[in-house]
Each structure stands twice: as structure tokens, then as C-alpha cells.
Coordinates of all heavy atoms in Angstrom, one line a residue:
M221 N -43.5 12.7 -64.8 CA -43.3 13.6 -65.9 C -43.4 15.0 -65.4 O -44.3 15.3 -64.7 CB -44.4 13.3 -67.0 CG -44.4 14.2 -68.1 SD -45.5 13.6 -69.4 CE -44.6 14.3 -70.8
R222 N -42.5 15.8 -65.8 CA -42.5 17.2 -65.4 C -43.5 18.1 -66.2 O -43.8 17.7 -67.3 CB -41.1 17.8 -65.4 CG -40.1 17.0 -64.6 CD -40.5 17.1 -63.2 NE -39.7 16.3 -62.3 CZ -39.9 16.0 -61.1 NH1 -41.0 16.4 -60.5 NH2 -39.1 15.3 -60.4
K223 N -43.9 19.2 -65.7 CA -44.9 20.0 -66.4 C -44.8 21.4 -66.0 O -44.1 21.8 -65.1 CB -46.3 19.5 -66.0 CG -46.6 19.7 -64.5 CD -48.0 19.1 -64.2 CE -48.3 19.2 -62.7 NZ -48.6 20.5 -62.2
V224 N -45.5 22.2 -66.8 CA -45.7 23.6 -66.6 C -47.2 23.9 -66.5 O -47.9 23.4 -67.3 CB -45.1 24.5 -67.7 CG1 -45.3 26.0 -67.4 CG2 -43.6 24.2 -67.8
S225 N -47.6 24.6 -65.5 CA -49.0 24.9 -65.3 C -49.2 26.5 -65.3 O -48.3 27.2 -65.0 CB -49.6 24.4 -64.0 OG -49.4 23.0 -63.9
R226 N -50.4 26.9 -65.7 CA -50.7 28.3 -65.6 C -51.9 28.5 -64.8 O -52.9 27.8 -64.9 CB -51.0 28.8 -67.1 CG -51.3 30.3 -67.1 CD -51.8 30.7 -68.5 NE -50.7 30.4 -69.5 CZ -49.8 31.3 -69.9 NH1 -49.7 32.5 -69.4 NH2 -48.9 31.0 -70.8
F227 N -51.9 29.5 -63.9 CA -53.1 29.8 -63.1 C -53.9 30.9 -63.8 O -53.3 31.9 -64.2 CB -52.7 30.3 -61.7 CG -52.1 29.3 -60.8 CD1 -51.0 29.5 -60.0 CD2 -52.7 28.0 -60.7 CE1 -50.5 28.6 -59.2 CE2 -52.1 27.0 -59.9 CZ -51.0 27.3 -59.1
V228 N -55.2 30.6 -64.0 CA -56.0 31.6 -64.6 C -57.2 31.9 -63.7 O -57.6 31.0 -62.9 CB -56.5 31.1 -66.0 CG1 -55.4 30.9 -67.0 CG2 -57.3 29.8 -65.9
D229 N -57.7 33.1 -63.8 CA -58.9 33.5 -63.0 C -60.1 32.7 -63.4 O -60.3 32.5 -64.6 CB -59.2 35.0 -63.2 CG -58.1 35.9 -62.6 OD1 -57.5 35.5 -61.5 OD2 -57.8 36.9 -63.2
D230 N -60.8 32.3 -62.4 CA -62.1 31.5 -62.7 C -63.0 31.8 -61.5 O -62.8 31.1 -60.4 CB -61.8 30.0 -62.9 CG -63.1 29.3 -63.2 OD1 -64.2 29.9 -63.3 OD2 -63.0 28.0 -63.4
P231 N -63.9 32.7 -61.6 CA -64.8 33.0 -60.4 C -65.6 31.8 -59.9 O -66.0 31.8 -58.8 CB -65.7 34.1 -61.0 CG -65.1 34.6 -62.2 CD -64.2 33.5 -62.7
K232 N -65.8 30.9 -60.8 CA -66.6 29.7 -60.4 C -65.8 28.7 -59.6 O -66.4 27.8 -58.9 CB -67.3 29.0 -61.6 CG -68.3 29.9 -62.3 CD -68.8 29.2 -63.5 CE -69.8 30.1 -64.2 NZ -70.3 29.5 -65.5
A233 N -64.5 28.8 -59.6 CA -63.6 27.8 -58.9 C -63.6 28.1 -57.4 O -63.9 29.2 -57.0 CB -62.2 27.9 -59.5
Q234 N -63.3 27.1 -56.7 CA -63.3 27.2 -55.2 C -62.5 28.4 -54.7 O -62.9 29.1 -53.8 CB -62.8 25.9 -54.6 CG -62.9 25.9 -53.1 CD -62.4 24.6 -52.4 OE1 -62.0 23.7 -53.1 NE2 -62.4 24.6 -51.1
Y235 N -61.3 28.6 -55.2 CA -60.4 29.7 -54.7 C -60.4 30.9 -55.7 O -59.5 31.8 -55.5 CB -59.0 29.2 -54.4 CG -59.0 28.1 -53.4 CD1 -58.8 26.8 -53.7 CD2 -59.3 28.4 -52.0 CE1 -58.9 25.8 -52.7 CE2 -59.3 27.5 -51.1 CZ -59.1 26.1 -51.4 OH -59.1 25.2 -50.4
G236 N -61.2 30.9 -56.7 CA -61.2 32.0 -57.6 C -60.2 31.9 -58.8 O -60.1 32.8 -59.6
F237 N -59.5 30.8 -58.9 CA -58.6 30.5 -60.0 C -58.5 29.0 -60.2 O -58.9 28.2 -59.3 CB -57.2 31.1 -59.7 CG -56.5 30.5 -58.6 CD1 -55.7 29.4 -58.7 CD2 -56.7 31.0 -57.3 CE1 -55.0 28.8 -57.7 CE2 -56.0 30.5 -56.2 CZ -55.2 29.4 -56.4
R238 N -58.0 28.6 -61.3 CA -57.8 27.2 -61.6 C -56.5 27.1 -62.4 O -55.9 28.0 -62.9 CB -58.9 26.6 -62.4 CG -59.2 27.2 -63.7 CD -60.5 26.7 -64.4 NE -60.8 27.5 -65.5 CZ -60.4 27.3 -66.8 NH1 -59.6 26.2 -67.0 NH2 -60.8 28.0 -67.7
S239 N -56.0 25.9 -62.4 CA -54.7 25.5 -63.1 C -55.0 24.9 -64.4 O -55.8 24.0 -64.5 CB -53.9 24.6 -62.2 OG -52.7 24.2 -62.8
V240 N -54.3 25.4 -65.5 CA -54.5 24.8 -66.8 C -53.1 24.5 -67.3 O -52.1 25.1 -66.9 CB -55.2 25.8 -67.8 CG1 -56.6 26.0 -67.3 CG2 -54.4 27.1 -67.9
P241 N -52.9 23.5 -68.2 CA -51.6 23.1 -68.7 C -51.0 24.3 -69.6 O -51.7 25.0 -70.2 CB -51.9 21.9 -69.6 CG -53.2 21.4 -69.3 CD -54.0 22.6 -68.7
A242 N -49.7 24.4 -69.5 CA -48.9 25.3 -70.3 C -47.7 24.6 -70.8 O -47.5 23.4 -70.5 CB -48.5 26.6 -69.5
T243 N -46.8 25.3 -71.6 CA -45.7 24.6 -72.1 C -44.4 25.3 -71.6 O -44.4 26.4 -71.1 CB -45.6 24.7 -73.6 OG1 -45.5 26.0 -74.0 CG2 -46.9 24.0 -74.2
Y244 N -43.3 24.5 -71.7 CA -42.0 25.1 -71.3 C -41.7 26.3 -72.2 O -41.1 27.3 -71.7 CB -40.9 24.1 -71.4 CG -40.8 23.2 -70.2 CD1 -41.4 21.9 -70.2 CD2 -40.1 23.5 -69.1 CE1 -41.4 21.1 -69.1 CE2 -40.1 22.7 -68.0 CZ -40.7 21.5 -68.0 OH -40.7 20.7 -66.9
E245 N -42.1 26.3 -73.4 CA -41.8 27.4 -74.3 C -42.6 28.7 -73.9 O -42.0 29.8 -74.0 CB -42.3 27.0 -75.8 CG -41.3 26.0 -76.4 CD -41.6 24.5 -75.9 OE1 -42.6 24.3 -75.3 OE2 -40.7 23.7 -76.1
D246 N -43.8 28.5 -73.4 CA -44.6 29.6 -72.8 C -43.8 30.3 -71.7 O -43.6 31.5 -71.6 CB -45.9 29.2 -72.3 CG -46.9 28.7 -73.4 OD1 -46.7 29.1 -74.6 OD2 -47.8 28.0 -73.1
A247 N -43.3 29.5 -70.8 CA -42.6 29.9 -69.6 C -41.3 30.6 -70.0 O -40.8 31.6 -69.4 CB -42.4 28.8 -68.6
E248 N -40.6 30.0 -71.0 CA -39.3 30.5 -71.4 C -39.4 31.9 -72.1 O -38.5 32.7 -72.0 CB -38.6 29.5 -72.4 CG -38.1 28.3 -71.6 CD -37.6 27.2 -72.5 OE1 -37.9 27.2 -73.7 OE2 -37.0 26.3 -72.0
K249 N -40.5 32.1 -72.8 CA -40.8 33.5 -73.4 C -40.9 34.5 -72.3 O -40.4 35.6 -72.5 CB -42.1 33.5 -74.2 CG -42.0 32.7 -75.5 CD -43.3 32.7 -76.2 CE -43.2 31.8 -77.4 NZ -44.6 31.7 -78.1
I250 N -41.4 34.2 -71.1 CA -41.6 35.1 -70.0 C -40.2 35.3 -69.3 O -39.9 36.5 -69.0 CB -42.6 34.6 -69.0 CG1 -44.0 34.5 -69.7 CG2 -42.7 35.5 -67.8 CD1 -45.1 33.8 -68.9
T251 N -39.5 34.3 -69.0 CA -38.2 34.4 -68.3 C -37.1 34.9 -69.2 O -36.2 35.6 -68.7 CB -37.8 33.1 -67.7 OG1 -37.5 32.1 -68.8 CG2 -38.8 32.5 -66.7
G252 N -37.1 34.6 -70.4 CA -36.1 35.1 -71.3 C -34.8 34.1 -71.3 O -33.8 34.5 -71.9
F253 N -34.9 33.0 -70.7 CA -33.9 32.0 -70.7 C -34.5 30.6 -70.7 O -35.6 30.4 -70.3 CB -32.9 32.2 -69.5 CG -33.5 32.2 -68.2 CD1 -33.7 31.0 -67.5 CD2 -33.9 33.4 -67.5 CE1 -34.3 31.0 -66.2 CE2 -34.4 33.4 -66.3 CZ -34.6 32.2 -65.6
R254 N -33.6 29.6 -71.1 CA -34.1 28.2 -71.1 C -34.3 27.7 -69.7 O -33.4 27.9 -68.8 CB -33.1 27.4 -71.9 CG -33.5 26.0 -72.1 CD -32.6 25.3 -73.2 NE -32.8 23.9 -73.2 CZ -33.8 23.3 -73.8 NH1 -34.7 24.0 -74.4 NH2 -33.9 22.0 -73.8
L255 N -35.3 26.9 -69.5 CA -35.6 26.3 -68.2 C -35.2 24.9 -68.2 O -35.3 24.2 -69.2 CB -37.1 26.5 -67.9 CG -37.7 27.9 -67.8 CD1 -39.2 27.9 -67.7 CD2 -37.1 28.6 -66.6
D256 N -34.9 24.4 -67.0 CA -34.5 23.0 -66.8 C -35.7 22.2 -66.9 O -36.7 22.3 -66.2 CB -33.9 22.9 -65.4 CG -33.3 21.6 -65.1 OD1 -33.6 20.6 -65.8 OD2 -32.4 21.5 -64.2
R257 N -35.7 21.2 -67.8 CA -36.8 20.3 -68.1 C -37.1 19.3 -67.0 O -38.1 18.5 -67.0 CB -36.7 19.6 -69.4 CG -36.6 20.5 -70.6 CD -37.8 21.4 -70.8 NE -38.1 21.9 -72.1 CZ -37.8 23.1 -72.5 NH1 -37.1 23.9 -71.8 NH2 -38.1 23.5 -73.7
R258 N -36.2 19.2 -66.0 CA -36.4 18.3 -64.9 C -37.2 18.8 -63.8 O -37.4 18.2 -62.7 CB -35.0 17.8 -64.4 CG -34.2 17.1 -65.5 CD -32.8 16.9 -65.0 NE -32.1 18.2 -64.9 CZ -30.9 18.4 -64.4 NH1 -30.2 17.4 -64.0 NH2 -30.4 19.6 -64.3
I259 N -37.6 20.1 -63.9 CA -38.3 20.8 -62.8 C -39.7 21.2 -63.2 O -39.9 21.6 -64.4 CB -37.4 22.0 -62.4 CG1 -36.1 21.5 -61.9 CG2 -38.1 22.8 -61.4 CD1 -35.1 22.6 -61.6
N260 N -40.6 21.2 -62.3 CA -42.0 21.7 -62.5 C -42.0 23.2 -62.3 O -41.4 23.8 -61.4 CB -43.0 21.1 -61.5 CG -43.3 19.7 -61.8 OD1 -43.1 19.2 -62.9 ND2 -43.7 19.0 -60.8
Y261 N -42.7 23.9 -63.2 CA -42.9 25.4 -63.1 C -44.4 25.7 -63.1 O -45.2 25.0 -63.6 CB -42.2 26.1 -64.2 CG -40.7 25.9 -64.2 CD1 -40.1 24.8 -65.0 CD2 -39.8 26.7 -63.5 CE1 -38.7 24.6 -65.0 CE2 -38.5 26.4 -63.5 CZ -37.9 25.4 -64.2 OH -36.6 25.2 -64.2
V262 N -44.7 27.0 -62.6 CA -46.0 27.5 -62.7 C -45.9 28.9 -63.2 O -45.0 29.7 -62.9 CB -46.7 27.4 -61.3 CG1 -46.0 28.2 -60.3 CG2 -48.2 27.8 -61.4
I263 N -46.9 29.3 -64.0 CA -47.0 30.7 -64.5 C -48.2 31.3 -63.6 O -49.3 30.8 -63.7 CB -47.3 30.8 -66.0 CG1 -46.2 30.1 -66.8 CG2 -47.5 32.2 -66.4 CD1 -46.5 30.0 -68.3
T264 N -47.8 32.3 -62.8 CA -48.8 32.8 -61.9 C -49.8 33.7 -62.6 O -49.7 34.0 -63.8 CB -48.1 33.7 -60.8 OG1 -47.5 34.8 -61.4 CG2 -47.1 32.9 -60.1
Q265 N -50.9 34.1 -61.9 CA -51.9 35.0 -62.5 C -51.3 36.4 -62.9 O -51.8 37.0 -63.7 CB -53.0 35.2 -61.4 CG -53.8 33.9 -61.2 CD -54.6 34.0 -59.9 OE1 -54.1 34.0 -58.9 NE2 -55.9 34.1 -60.1
E266 N -50.2 36.7 -62.2 CA -49.5 38.0 -62.5 C -48.6 37.9 -63.7 O -47.9 38.8 -64.1 CB -48.7 38.5 -61.3 CG -49.5 38.9 -60.1 CD -50.0 37.7 -59.3 OE1 -49.4 36.7 -59.3 OE2 -51.0 37.9 -58.6
G267 N -48.4 36.6 -64.3 CA -47.6 36.4 -65.4 C -46.2 36.1 -65.1 O -45.3 36.2 -66.0
E268 N -45.8 35.8 -63.9 CA -44.5 35.5 -63.5 C -44.3 33.9 -63.5 O -45.2 33.2 -63.2 CB -44.2 36.0 -62.1 CG -44.3 37.5 -62.0 CD -44.2 38.0 -60.5 OE1 -44.2 37.2 -59.6 OE2 -44.0 39.2 -60.4
V269 N -43.1 33.5 -63.8 CA -42.7 32.1 -63.8 C -42.1 31.8 -62.4 O -41.2 32.5 -62.0 CB -41.8 31.7 -64.9 CG1 -41.4 30.2 -64.9 CG2 -42.5 32.0 -66.3
E270 N -42.6 30.7 -61.8 CA -42.0 30.3 -60.5 C -41.7 28.8 -60.5 O -42.5 28.0 -61.2 CB -42.9 30.6 -59.4 CG -43.0 32.1 -59.2 CD -43.8 32.5 -57.9 OE1 -44.4 31.6 -57.3 OE2 -43.8 33.7 -57.6
Q271 N -40.7 28.3 -59.9 CA -40.3 26.9 -59.7 C -41.1 26.4 -58.6 O -41.2 27.0 -57.5 CB -38.8 26.8 -59.5 CG -38.3 25.4 -59.4 CD -36.8 25.4 -59.3 OE1 -36.1 26.2 -59.8 NE2 -36.3 24.4 -58.5
E272 N -41.7 25.2 -58.8 CA -42.5 24.6 -57.7 C -41.6 23.7 -56.8 O -40.7 23.0 -57.4 CB -43.6 23.7 -58.3 CG -44.7 24.5 -58.9 CD -45.8 23.6 -59.4 OE1 -45.5 22.6 -60.0 OE2 -47.0 24.0 -59.2
S273 N -41.9 23.6 -55.5 CA -41.2 22.7 -54.7 C -42.1 22.4 -53.5 O -43.2 22.9 -53.4 CB -39.9 23.4 -54.2 OG -39.0 22.4 -53.5
W274 N -41.6 21.5 -52.6 CA -42.3 21.1 -51.4 C -41.4 20.6 -50.3 O -40.2 20.3 -50.6 CB -43.4 20.0 -51.7 CG -42.7 18.8 -52.2 CD1 -42.4 17.7 -51.4 CD2 -42.4 18.4 -53.5 NE1 -41.8 16.7 -52.2 CE2 -41.8 17.2 -53.5 CE3 -42.5 19.1 -54.8 CZ2 -41.3 16.5 -54.6 CZ3 -42.1 18.4 -55.9 CH2 -41.5 17.2 -55.8
C275 N -41.9 20.6 -49.1 CA -41.1 20.0 -48.0 C -42.1 19.2 -47.1 O -43.3 19.5 -47.1 CB -40.4 21.0 -47.2 SG -41.4 22.2 -46.4
T276 N -41.6 18.2 -46.4 CA -42.4 17.4 -45.5 C -42.0 17.7 -44.1 O -40.9 17.6 -43.7 CB -42.3 15.9 -45.8 OG1 -42.6 15.7 -47.2 CG2 -43.2 15.1 -44.9
L277 N -43.0 18.1 -43.3 CA -42.7 18.5 -41.9 C -43.6 17.7 -41.0 O -44.6 17.1 -41.4 CB -43.0 20.0 -41.7 CG -42.2 21.0 -42.5 CD1 -42.8 22.4 -42.3 CD2 -40.8 20.9 -42.2
D278 N -43.3 17.7 -39.7 CA -44.2 17.0 -38.7 C -45.5 17.8 -38.7 O -45.5 19.0 -38.8 CB -43.6 17.1 -37.3 CG -42.4 16.1 -37.2 OD1 -42.3 15.1 -38.0 OD2 -41.5 16.4 -36.4
C279 N -46.6 17.1 -38.5 CA -47.9 17.7 -38.5 C -48.1 18.5 -37.3 O -47.8 18.1 -36.2 CB -49.0 16.6 -38.6 SG -50.7 17.3 -38.6
S280 N -48.7 19.8 -37.4 CA -48.9 20.6 -36.3 C -50.1 20.2 -35.4 O -50.2 20.6 -34.3 CB -49.0 22.1 -36.7 OG -50.2 22.2 -37.6
G281 N -51.0 19.5 -36.0 CA -52.2 19.1 -35.2 C -52.1 17.8 -34.5 O -53.0 17.4 -33.8
C282 N -50.9 17.1 -34.5 CA -50.8 15.8 -33.9 C -50.3 15.9 -32.4 O -50.4 14.9 -31.7 CB -49.8 15.0 -34.6 SG -50.3 14.6 -36.3
S283 N -49.9 17.0 -31.9 CA -49.3 17.0 -30.6 C -50.4 17.3 -29.5 O -51.3 18.0 -29.7 CB -48.3 18.1 -30.5 OG -47.8 18.3 -29.2
C284 N -50.1 16.7 -28.3 CA -51.0 17.0 -27.2 C -50.6 18.3 -26.5 O -51.3 18.8 -25.6 CB -51.0 15.9 -26.2 SG -49.5 15.7 -25.3
G285 N -49.5 18.9 -26.9 CA -49.0 20.1 -26.4 C -48.0 20.0 -25.2 O -47.5 20.9 -24.7
C286 N -47.7 18.7 -24.9 CA -46.8 18.5 -23.8 C -45.3 18.5 -24.2 O -44.5 18.4 -23.3 CB -47.1 17.2 -23.1 SG -46.8 15.8 -24.2
E287 N -45.0 18.6 -25.5 CA -43.7 18.6 -26.0 C -42.9 17.4 -25.4 O -41.7 17.5 -25.1 CB -42.9 19.9 -25.6 CG -43.6 21.1 -26.1 CD -43.7 21.1 -27.6 OE1 -42.8 20.6 -28.3 OE2 -44.7 21.7 -28.1
G288 N -43.5 16.2 -25.4 CA -42.8 15.0 -25.0 C -42.6 14.8 -23.5 O -41.9 13.9 -23.0
G289 N -43.3 15.7 -22.7 CA -43.1 15.6 -21.2 C -44.1 14.7 -20.5 O -44.2 14.7 -19.3
C290 N -44.9 13.9 -21.3 CA -45.8 13.0 -20.6 C -45.7 11.6 -21.2 O -44.8 11.4 -22.1 CB -47.3 13.6 -20.8 SG -47.9 13.5 -22.5
S291 N -46.5 10.8 -20.9 CA -46.4 9.4 -21.3 C -47.3 9.1 -22.5 O -47.6 8.0 -22.8 CB -46.8 8.4 -20.2 OG -48.2 8.7 -19.8
C292 N -47.7 10.1 -23.3 CA -48.6 9.9 -24.4 C -47.9 9.3 -25.6 O -48.5 8.8 -26.5 CB -49.3 11.2 -24.8 SG -48.1 12.5 -25.3
G293 N -46.5 9.3 -25.6 CA -45.8 8.6 -26.6 C -45.8 9.3 -27.9 O -46.3 10.4 -28.1
P294 N -45.2 8.7 -29.0 CA -45.1 9.4 -30.3 C -46.5 9.5 -30.9 O -47.4 8.6 -30.7 CB -44.2 8.5 -31.1 CG -44.2 7.1 -30.4 CD -44.5 7.4 -28.9
S295 N -46.7 10.5 -31.7 CA -48.0 10.7 -32.3 C -48.3 9.7 -33.4 O -47.4 9.3 -34.1 CB -48.0 12.1 -32.9 OG -49.2 12.3 -33.6
T296 N -49.5 9.3 -33.4 CA -50.0 8.4 -34.5 C -50.7 9.1 -35.6 O -51.2 8.5 -36.5 CB -50.9 7.3 -33.9 OG1 -52.0 7.9 -33.3 CG2 -50.1 6.4 -33.0
G297 N -50.7 10.5 -35.5 CA -51.4 11.3 -36.5 C -52.8 11.8 -36.1 O -53.3 11.5 -35.0
C298 N -53.4 12.5 -37.0 CA -54.7 13.1 -36.7 C -55.4 13.2 -38.1 O -54.8 12.9 -39.1 CB -54.6 14.5 -36.1 SG -53.8 15.7 -37.1
S299 N -56.6 13.7 -38.1 CA -57.4 13.8 -39.3 C -56.8 14.9 -40.3 O -56.9 14.8 -41.5 CB -58.8 14.1 -39.0 OG -58.9 15.4 -38.3
E300 N -56.0 15.9 -39.7 CA -55.4 16.9 -40.5 C -54.4 16.3 -41.5 O -54.2 16.7 -42.6 CB -54.8 17.9 -39.6 CG -54.1 19.1 -40.3 CD -53.4 20.1 -39.4 OE1 -53.9 20.2 -38.3 OE2 -52.4 20.7 -39.8
C301 N -53.6 15.3 -41.0 CA -52.5 14.8 -41.8 C -52.8 13.4 -42.3 O -52.0 12.8 -42.9 CB -51.2 14.7 -41.0 SG -51.3 13.6 -39.6
G302 N -54.0 12.9 -42.1 CA -54.4 11.6 -42.6 C -53.8 10.5 -41.8 O -53.5 9.4 -42.3
Y303 N -53.6 10.8 -40.5 CA -53.0 9.8 -39.5 C -51.6 9.3 -39.9 O -51.3 8.2 -39.6 CB -54.0 8.7 -39.3 CG -55.3 9.2 -38.7 CD1 -56.4 9.5 -39.6 CD2 -55.5 9.5 -37.4 CE1 -57.6 10.0 -39.1 CE2 -56.7 10.0 -36.9 CZ -57.7 10.3 -37.8 OH -58.9 10.8 -37.3
T304 N -50.8 10.2 -40.5 CA -49.5 9.9 -40.8 C -48.4 10.5 -39.9 O -47.3 10.1 -39.8 CB -49.1 10.3 -42.3 OG1 -49.2 11.7 -42.4 CG2 -50.1 9.6 -43.3
G305 N -48.8 11.6 -39.3 CA -47.9 12.4 -38.5 C -47.1 13.4 -39.3 O -46.2 14.1 -38.7
K306 N -47.2 13.4 -40.6 CA -46.5 14.3 -41.5 C -47.4 15.2 -42.3 O -48.6 14.8 -42.6 CB -45.6 13.5 -42.4 CG -44.6 12.6 -41.7 CD -43.5 13.4 -41.1 CE -42.5 12.4 -40.5 NZ -41.4 13.2 -39.8
S307 N -46.9 16.3 -42.7 CA -47.7 17.2 -43.5 C -46.8 17.8 -44.6 O -45.7 18.2 -44.4 CB -48.2 18.4 -42.6 OG -48.9 19.3 -43.4
R308 N -47.3 17.8 -45.8 CA -46.5 18.3 -47.0 C -46.9 19.7 -47.3 O -48.1 20.1 -47.3 CB -46.8 17.4 -48.2 CG -45.9 17.8 -49.4 CD -46.0 16.9 -50.5 NE -45.0 15.8 -50.3 CZ -44.7 14.9 -51.1 NH1 -45.3 14.8 -52.3 NH2 -43.8 14.0 -50.9
H309 N -45.9 20.6 -47.4 CA -46.1 22.0 -47.6 C -45.5 22.3 -49.0 O -44.4 22.0 -49.3 CB -45.4 22.9 -46.6 CG -46.0 22.6 -45.2 ND1 -47.0 23.3 -44.7 CD2 -45.6 21.7 -44.3 CE1 -47.3 22.9 -43.5 NE2 -46.5 21.9 -43.2
Y310 N -46.4 23.0 -49.8 CA -46.0 23.4 -51.2 C -45.6 24.9 -51.2 O -46.3 25.7 -50.5 CB -47.1 23.1 -52.2 CG -47.4 21.6 -52.3 CD1 -48.3 21.0 -51.5 CD2 -46.7 20.9 -53.3 CE1 -48.5 19.6 -51.6 CE2 -47.0 19.5 -53.4 CZ -47.9 18.9 -52.6 OH -48.1 17.6 -52.7
F311 N -44.6 25.2 -52.0 CA -44.2 26.6 -52.2 C -43.6 26.8 -53.5 O -43.3 25.8 -54.2 CB -43.3 27.1 -51.0 CG -42.0 26.3 -50.9 CD1 -40.9 26.7 -51.6 CD2 -42.0 25.1 -50.2 CE1 -39.7 26.0 -51.5 CE2 -40.8 24.4 -50.1 CZ -39.7 24.8 -50.7
S312 N -43.4 28.1 -53.9 CA -42.7 28.3 -55.2 C -41.8 29.5 -55.1 O -41.9 30.3 -54.1 CB -43.8 28.6 -56.3 OG -44.5 29.7 -56.0
F313 N -40.8 29.6 -56.0 CA -39.8 30.7 -55.9 C -39.3 30.9 -57.4 O -39.5 30.0 -58.2 CB -38.7 30.3 -55.0 CG -38.0 29.0 -55.3 CD1 -36.9 28.9 -56.1 CD2 -38.6 27.8 -54.7 CE1 -36.4 27.6 -56.4 CE2 -38.0 26.6 -55.0 CZ -36.9 26.5 -55.8
P314 N -38.8 32.1 -57.6 CA -38.3 32.4 -59.0 C -37.2 31.5 -59.4 O -36.3 31.1 -58.6 CB -37.8 33.8 -58.9 CG -38.4 34.4 -57.6 CD -38.6 33.2 -56.7
P315 N -37.2 31.0 -60.7 CA -36.1 30.2 -61.2 C -34.8 31.0 -61.4 O -34.8 32.2 -61.6 CB -36.6 29.7 -62.5 CG -37.6 30.7 -63.0 CD -38.2 31.3 -61.7
S316 N -33.7 30.3 -61.2 CA -32.4 30.9 -61.4 C -32.0 30.9 -62.8 O -32.1 29.9 -63.5 CB -31.3 30.2 -60.6 OG -31.6 30.3 -59.2
P317 N -31.5 32.1 -63.3 CA -31.0 32.1 -64.7 C -29.8 31.2 -64.8 O -29.1 31.0 -63.9 CB -30.6 33.6 -65.0 CG -31.2 34.3 -63.8 CD -31.4 33.4 -62.7
P318 N -29.5 30.7 -66.0 CA -28.3 29.8 -66.2 C -27.0 30.3 -65.7 O -26.2 29.6 -65.2 CB -28.3 29.5 -67.7 CG -29.7 29.9 -68.2 CD -30.2 30.9 -67.3
E319 N -26.7 31.6 -65.9 CA -25.4 32.2 -65.5 C -25.3 32.2 -64.0 O -24.1 32.2 -63.5 CB -25.2 33.6 -66.1 CG -26.3 34.6 -65.7 CD -27.5 34.7 -66.6 OE1 -27.6 33.9 -67.6 OE2 -28.3 35.6 -66.4
R320 N -26.3 32.1 -63.3 CA -26.2 32.1 -61.8 C -25.9 30.7 -61.3 O -25.5 30.5 -60.1 CB -27.4 32.7 -61.1 CG -27.5 34.2 -61.4 CD -28.6 34.8 -60.6 NE -28.5 34.5 -59.1 CZ -29.5 34.6 -58.3 NH1 -30.6 35.1 -58.7 NH2 -29.3 34.3 -57.0
K321 N -26.2 29.7 -62.1 CA -26.1 28.3 -61.6 C -24.6 27.8 -61.8 O -24.3 26.8 -61.1 CB -27.0 27.4 -62.4 CG -28.5 27.6 -62.1 CD -29.3 26.7 -62.9 CE -30.8 26.9 -62.6 NZ -31.7 26.1 -63.4
K322 N -23.9 28.4 -62.6 CA -22.5 28.0 -62.9 C -21.6 28.4 -61.7 O -21.7 29.5 -61.2 CB -22.0 28.5 -64.2 CG -22.7 28.0 -65.4 CD -22.2 28.6 -66.7 CE -23.0 28.0 -67.9 NZ -22.6 28.6 -69.1
P323 N -20.6 27.5 -61.4 CA -19.7 27.9 -60.2 C -18.7 29.0 -60.6 O -18.4 29.3 -61.7 CB -19.0 26.6 -60.0 CG -19.2 25.7 -61.1 CD -20.4 26.2 -61.9

């Protein structure tokens, strides 16, 4: 299920803010256009709407530093990635207005 979240200041939280539920209608009032309901969005502390995304990359902590030049073989992971050899990175970016999506 897709969702919209809002970051609000919270001095007691670990990073000084926390995420609370919001609605697509809240986000659409800010952007001024209808948002795609198949995508997750976040309303930042500055009041901007951003589209959430992620990518999966090889873990940076799993290598012995030899770049494959030794007999250590493929990495089996480390405590940083949970012994999977992969790391998920989250990021956000501004959503595209509907007129920019059309060919």
C-alpha cells in the first residue's frame, strides 16, 4: 500500500524529527497538481513534497580492499549489511508535474 508521510520536528526523537502519516490531498495542496497514487511521497520539514525511491548497491564494508586480486573470493557480507553483501540506499526527489510526463 502506498502512502504519504510528513516529517515533523521532535526534539525527543533520535534524529530530531519523526514521521507521521499524511494524505495525498495534503501533498497535492502543496504541489498544486494531482499526484500518482502508485508512488510514495514525503512532506519535508520545509513543507516540500518529494517522491521516495531507493536503490540496492554492493555493500561498501564487505571488501577486503584487494579489488578481486586475491583468493579471498566473493564477499559473504558483513555486519553493516546483515551478511547479504548488499546495501539499500534511500533518497527522494521532487515529483514531476503531469504536463512534463507526457511525450
Side-chain angles (χ1 to χ4, degrees):
M221 177 170 211
R222 301 299 176 192
K223 64 183 175 71
V224 178
S225 300
R226 178 188 303 270
F227 290 137
V228 295
D229 292 324
D230 184 358
K232 296 179 182 178
Q234 181 178 1
Y235 298 108
F237 64 91
R238 61 187 168 89
S239 176
V240 296
T243 65
Y244 279 96
E245 289 77 17
D246 294 337
E248 288 170 347
K249 286 178 188 173
I250 296 169
T251 62
F253 56 86
R254 186 167 168 77
L255 297 172
D256 188 338
R257 298 300 203 263
R258 299 171 292 177
I259 298 173
N260 289 337
Y261 296 95
V262 63
I263 302 172
T264 66
Q265 292 164 290
E266 293 81 24
E268 298 173 349
V269 176
E270 295 186 349
Q271 182 175 329
E272 292 183 314
S273 192
W274 64 90
C275 63
T276 303
L277 303 172
D278 290 334
C279 179
S280 61
C282 294
S283 174
C284 68
C286 66
E287 301 301 327
C290 71
S291 62
C292 58
S295 173
T296 58
C298 65
S299 60
E300 180 181 331
C301 64
Y303 300 96
T304 63
K306 301 288 182 184
S307 177
R308 184 170 274 190
H309 298 269
Y310 294 89
F311 58 94
S312 61
F313 53 93
S316 296
E319 59 270 7
R320 290 191 52 200
K321 292 181 181 179
K322 295 180 181 177

